[in-house]
Amino acid sequence: MANASVISPQTIKISLYVGIDRSRFCSSNLVSERICCSGTSTESRPPRFISKGCKLVGCGSALPKLQYSNHDLAKVMDTTDEWISSRTGIRNRRLLSGNESLNGLGVEAAQKALQMAEVEPDDVDLIFFCSSTPDDLFGGGPTVQNALGCKGNPLAYDIRAACTGFLLGLVSASFHIRSGGFKNVLVIGADCVSRHVDWTERKICVLFGDAAGAVLLQACDCEDDGLFGFDLHTNGDGKKHLNAGIKQSEANIVNGLVSGLMLPSVSASISNIQMNGQEIFRFVVNAVPETMEASLSKADLRVSDIDWLLIHQANQRIIDSVAKKLEFPRERVISNLENYGNTSAASIPLALDEAVRSGKVKKGETIMLGGFGAGLTWGSAIVRWA
């Protein structure tokens, strides 16, 4: 790829019209389901219509205990606080250490979201664990579900979409509520990217921190619907600019034969993150404003109708550039990047939780969310805090 313009926001588009006019989505004319039961009866059964909205009713977050500042990094590598902060806006980050686990952070964030929403774990009927750095190869969703004490065995599984993961989980949760009959869906964004960076490479390792954030999405009447519009995209060609591939090293030959074949013993691990920061920056500052404009159009809203702008916390220069292109007031832009760095899928719910609990975001206010990450994936959604 010669330049960032090759990564076109129009390459692959996954989007659905969701507007303020609830008749477009929450309507018995749009979503219907005929229930068919096995047996010998041929009696005609009337269709069952599902007509529901969804709303954000709780949020929570969790952080590791270990704080690592730019000054701490300067003691172990060739860098300074000024070099890092002037290029990224980051001054501190939290890192998993000791007996802490990513699943543990996810459980803590989920518990806080449930407590805010006054919903018991047994009333949760679906959990999305959005993470690209789980504690286990097979994901963290089931482990988190078990630790929460959800006795009804609700479905729980992982969504792996890097920094865009939480946004995809949020939209997926809305689908399950609106057309699948689910009532309470937990969406957890959690990542421990510090496991997958080279701590001698200052251009990458200084960017990331570890955290978890969660929201509870709940079924509601259509007139109370809190997801107004969204727009999601993927372009796999952009993988060359941001990836962490599998690396294999062949060890000794296993003793003996299996079906007459000698089997090599292969050790596999995930390589450290490789990133072309300049190409990602050039792409994001164009693609994110475009997807946000698309969400506004689908929701029949204008920028002036949005109370808060919350973009994936990757780099302050990106956040400022997107806000400037949208002509969005700087004082209405949510950012906690300085304190935590890029926490990947946790960054949006972590920043949202802090803004809600501090009283910055108030009931009934509208928030424009924007995410982007490896894949490349990117998108936006407009939500109302209930």
Side-chain angles (χ1 to χ4, degrees):
M1 182 174 294
N3 55 59
S5 63
V6 177
I7 309 175
S8 169
Q10 283 78 37
T11 304
I12 300 176
K13 183 175 181 182
I14 306 171
S15 58
L16 177 64
Y17 195 107
V18 184
I20 290 294
D21 179 3
R22 298 294 181 264
S23 64
R24 288 190 179 274
F25 206 154
C26 300
S27 169
S28 59
N29 293 324
L30 179 63
V31 183
S32 65
E33 178 183 25
R34 181 177 295 276
I35 306 300
C36 298
C37 302
S38 60
T40 58
S41 174
T42 58
E43 179 184 353
S44 176
R45 303 182 189 278
R48 184 184 76 185
F49 295 110
I50 299 173
S51 179
K52 284 291 182 182
C54 59
K55 60 183 180 180
L56 290 169
V57 294
C59 59
S61 60
L63 295 161
K65 294 178 181 178
L66 177 63
Q67 178 172 291
Y68 221 71
S69 70
N70 292 346
H71 294 292
D72 293 324
L73 289 175
K75 296 175 183 178
V76 297
M77 66 179 66
D78 181 20
T79 192
T80 65
D81 173 66
E82 191 278 332
W83 190 91
I84 299 171
S85 60
S86 64
R87 289 166 173 77
T88 68
I90 300 168
R91 292 190 180 275
N92 291 286
R93 74 275 301 141
R94 299 290 187 93
L95 304 176
L96 278 179
S97 63
N99 295 325
E100 293 175 325
S101 68
L102 191 64
N103 288 339
L105 292 184
V107 170
E108 182 182 344
Q111 288 173 332
K112 291 177 179 177
L114 291 173
Q115 289 168 1
M116 179 183 287
E118 298 182 343
V119 171
E120 295 297 323
D122 284 349
D123 294 324
V124 174
D125 43 17
L126 178 61
I127 299 172
F128 290 119
F129 191 72
C130 309
S131 177
S132 296
T133 57
D135 290 336
D136 187 284
L137 173 65
F138 299 115
T143 302
V144 170
Q145 178 245 56
N146 181 64
L148 286 172
C150 304
K151 298 178 181 177
N153 296 326
L155 177 63
Y157 61 93
D158 288 37
I159 291 180
R160 182 169 290 192
C163 302
T164 320
F166 173 79
L167 194 59
L168 269 62
L170 185 70
V171 173
S172 297
S174 74
F175 287 164
H176 283 75
I177 289 174
R178 285 168 163 160
S179 61
F182 291 85
K183 296 180 180 179
N184 292 300
V185 182
L186 265 174
V187 182
I188 304 166
D191 267 309
C192 177
V193 183
S194 64
R195 293 169 172 164
H196 303 291
V197 296
D198 179 355
W199 284 99
T200 65
E201 173 51 71
R202 71 174 184 172
K203 290 183 179 180
I204 296 179
C205 71
V206 301
L207 301 174
F208 294 100
D210 307 330
V215 299
L216 183 71
L217 211 64
Q218 191 172 74
C220 64
D221 294 332
C222 286
E223 56 268 23
D224 297 322
D225 189 43
L227 176 60
F228 298 148
F230 63 87
D231 185 66
L232 303 173
H233 302 265
T234 296
N235 183 348
D237 187 53
K239 174 180 178 291
K240 67 185 74 173
H241 294 308
L242 180 56
N243 59 77
I246 295 293
K247 58 182 181 180
Q248 296 183 341
S249 58
E250 188 169 307
N252 297 324
I253 301 296
V254 177
N255 292 328
L257 297 175
V258 178
S259 300
L261 298 176
M262 297 294 293
L263 298 180
S265 177
V266 177
S267 175
S269 62
I270 299 175
S271 64
N272 293 325
I273 292 174
Q274 305 296 313
M275 180 172 67
N276 186 330
Q278 290 184 340
E279 293 294 337
I280 296 296
F281 180 90
R282 292 169 186 166
F283 167 70
V284 168
V285 296
N286 291 309
V288 172
E290 287 181 11
T291 185
M292 288 184 162
E293 293 284 3
S295 285
L296 286 168
S297 177
K298 293 171 185 178
D300 195 23
L301 292 173
R302 297 169 296 178
V303 171
S304 58
D305 296 317
I306 305 300
D307 296 303
W308 297 99
L309 183 65
L310 174 50
I311 304 166
H312 166 53
Q313 308 286 288
N315 185 300
Q316 194 61 46
R317 289 180 175 180
I318 291 176
I319 296 172
D320 293 342
S321 178
V322 172
K324 183 177 181 180
K325 284 196 173 186
L326 293 173
E327 298 183 353
F328 203 88
R330 291 189 64 180
E331 65 273 13
R332 307 298 289 181
V333 178
I334 298 172
S335 176
N336 64 358
L337 176 70
E338 179 181 12
N339 298 323
Y340 307 117
N342 180 348
T343 57
S344 192
S347 79
I348 291 177
L350 172 62
L352 175 63
D353 184 50
E354 286 198 342
V356 169
R357 292 180 186 273
S358 68
K360 179 180 287 187
V361 172
K362 297 176 175 58
K363 181 179 179 180
E365 290 189 321
T366 303
I367 311 162
M368 170 82 82
L369 306 177
F372 54 90
L376 294 174
T377 55
W378 70 100
S380 59
I382 303 172
V383 300
R384 177 172 57 201
W385 178 249

